Amino acid sequence: MPPRLPLIRFGVDDTPVVWWEWLFYPLVIVLITFCFVAFMRAAIPITAIHFVRDVIRFRHMKRELAAAGRFLTAEQLVDRLRAGLGTLIVVYEWPKGPIEEWWTTEDIIAIAPIPLPSSIHEGQSSGLSSFAENCIATYTDRNTGNAMLTCGVPDESGLVVANAFPNAKFVTISRCAGGKTFSMATGHIVDRLRNDASASHLN
C-alpha cells in the first residue's frame, strides 16, 4: 500500500480508513499548523525585503530619468490628466507588482491595432501582446523609451481614478514576472483590481 496522510484522500483515492490513521491524525494537524505558521512568519520579512528593494529601485530609476528629463512630478501629472492630454501607461507586473506609471504625449488607445478591452483578462490576444511589448520598448523602457516616469496618481489608494480624471486616458499593461507581456487593456490597474475585488466579494 502506498504511503498516505492519515484520513486525507486525494482525487479518486477511496481506500478505507484504518485504525492507525486516527492515531496519527492529530500529529498531522499539528505539523500542518506548524508549517503554515512558519511560512507566514517567513513571508513577512520576505515581503518587507521585496518592498524595500522596489523602493530603492524606483528611487534610482527616478534619479536617472529625472536627469534625462524623463520624469513628471505629481502636480505636473495631475495637470495633464485633468486636461486629458496624452496617455498614462500603467505597467503592472503580475501577480503582485510592482506598479510603474508613465506618461506619454501620444494617444495609445487610438493607435492600438484593435480596440482595447476594458479588462486585462480579455487583453491576451497575440496582436495586443505584440503591441504591448512594442509599447514597453517605445515608451516605458528605462533605456530606449521616450515616456516620462511619474510617481503615480496622488492618493490613489482611496481613489476611483477614472472618476477623479474623467478626461484622462489610461492604459494598463500587465505582464508576468520575468518580463513576458501578459495582457493590455484600457483603464487604470487600481480601478481594475478594485473591480475584481468587489466582484469576488459579491460572489
Side-chain angles (χ1 to χ4, degrees):
M1 180 182 296
R4 63 174 183 265
L5 295 174
L7 301 183
I8 298 177
R9 301 292 186 268
F10 300 98
V12 296
D13 184 1
D14 58 356
T15 52
V17 176
V18 294
W19 67 269
W20 64 264
E21 295 188 73
W22 292 106
L23 181 64
F24 286 98
Y25 186 69
L27 178 61
V28 171
I29 294 300
V30 171
L31 289 175
I32 292 175
T33 303
F34 174 80
C35 291
F36 176 77
V37 172
F39 172 79
M40 293 303 295
R41 289 175 66 90
I44 294 174
I46 291 174
T47 301
I49 291 171
H50 279 285
F51 175 78
V52 172
R53 181 199 63 182
D54 290 339
V55 169
I56 294 174
R57 172 182 169 275
F58 180 82
R59 287 180 177 175
H60 287 170
M61 184 165 61
K62 173 184 174 181
R63 193 158 46 240
E64 176 184 320
L65 293 179
R70 290 184 60 198
F71 182 76
L72 276 183
T73 65
E75 293 78 12
Q76 292 171 324
L77 174 63
V78 167
D79 289 342
R80 286 162 173 76
L81 294 180
R82 285 176 177 166
L85 301 175
T87 306
L88 187 70
I89 305 173
V90 187
V91 181
Y92 171 64
E93 189 166 294
W94 185 86
K96 295 184 178 180
I99 298 175
E100 294 177 1
E101 300 190 25
W102 304 75
W103 182 83
T104 177
T105 58
E106 299 205 26
D107 186 342
I108 304 299
I109 298 174
I111 64 175
I114 58 176
L116 297 181
S118 59
S119 169
I120 56 176
H121 303 295
E122 299 173 5
Q124 302 177 19
S125 72
S126 58
L128 283 181
S129 181
S130 299
F131 180 65
E133 291 178 4
N134 182 64
C135 285
I136 289 175
T138 304
Y139 302 108
T140 71
D141 186 88
R142 186 170 179 171
N143 300 311
T144 64
N146 56 38
M148 304 179 77
L149 179 69
T150 81
C151 290
V153 178
D155 300 323
E156 64 182 23
S157 58
L159 184 68
V160 178
V161 181
N163 293 343
F165 304 101
N167 297 322
K169 300 180 182 69
F170 303 100
V171 167
T172 291
I173 298 176
S174 175
R175 57 184 179 183
C176 297
K180 183 179 179 182
T181 299
F182 182 68
S183 60
M184 187 170 186
T186 59
H188 196 290
I189 187 63
V190 170
D191 289 346
R192 300 268 77 80
L193 296 177
R194 181 184 289 108
N195 291 339
D196 289 345
S198 298
S200 299
H201 177 72
L202 291 176
N203 293 333

